[in-house]
Amino acid sequence: MYDFCFTPIYAGLLAIGGVAGYATKGSMASLGAGLGTAALLSLMSKWSLDAYHKGEACKSATAISLLVAAGLTFMMYQRYSTTGKFMPAGLTAGLSAAMTVFYVWSLLLGPTPKPKAT
């Protein structure tokens, strides 16, 4: 699986979480963080997909996505440890940890696109 297969889903879930945090608690921080990370991850996914269509791998986009996911894992796990609430901190930490593992796998062992014939 290529990183652009899961990144849009992950980005969408983060955006939904940010909007939900704003809708339920009026949290501008949740809205900004959710939509901001979703936008960045969407751009990385597009960049990676464009490279794939050229028969190339875009390890830079995957590495940036890894940094975002690892950062969210760390921050949301800290929040979960403090509050003990699974929603939303524990869920976001778990999802981000899974994506972090996926991005590491993608960078180290993931598939390589076949070069396009010219």
Side-chain angles (χ1 to χ4, degrees), residues 11-62:
L13 291 172
L14 292 174
I16 290 168
V19 171
Y22 177 74
T24 59
K25 303 286 185 185
S27 173
M28 289 298 290
S30 291
L31 182 64
L35 294 180
T37 55
L40 179 60
L41 288 167
S42 295
L43 288 172
M44 295 305 102
S45 182
K46 174 77 168 101
W47 188 14
S48 185
L49 181 61
D50 288 346
Y52 172 81
H53 285 299
K54 295 176 187 173
E56 303 167 357
C58 188
K59 299 291 184 178
S60 300
T62 307

Side-chain angles (χ1 to χ4, degrees), residues 31-115:
L31 182 64
L35 294 180
T37 55
L40 179 60
L41 288 167
S42 295
L43 288 172
M44 295 305 102
S45 182
K46 174 77 168 101
W47 188 14
S48 185
L49 181 61
D50 288 346
Y52 172 81
H53 285 299
K54 295 176 187 173
E56 303 167 357
C58 188
K59 299 291 184 178
S60 300
T62 307
I64 292 169
S65 298
L66 170 62
L67 291 174
V68 171
L72 278 173
T73 301
F74 178 74
M75 290 183 347
M76 296 309 274
Y77 180 75
Q78 281 187 322
R79 182 172 293 165
Y80 172 72
S81 296
T82 302
T83 65
K85 294 181 180 179
F86 181 72
M87 286 297 290
L91 180 64
T92 305
L95 178 62
S96 296
M99 289 303 294
T100 297
V101 170
F102 171 71
Y103 290 133
V104 168
W105 171 83
S106 183
L107 284 169
L108 299 178
L109 305 170
T112 305
K114 293 184 170 110

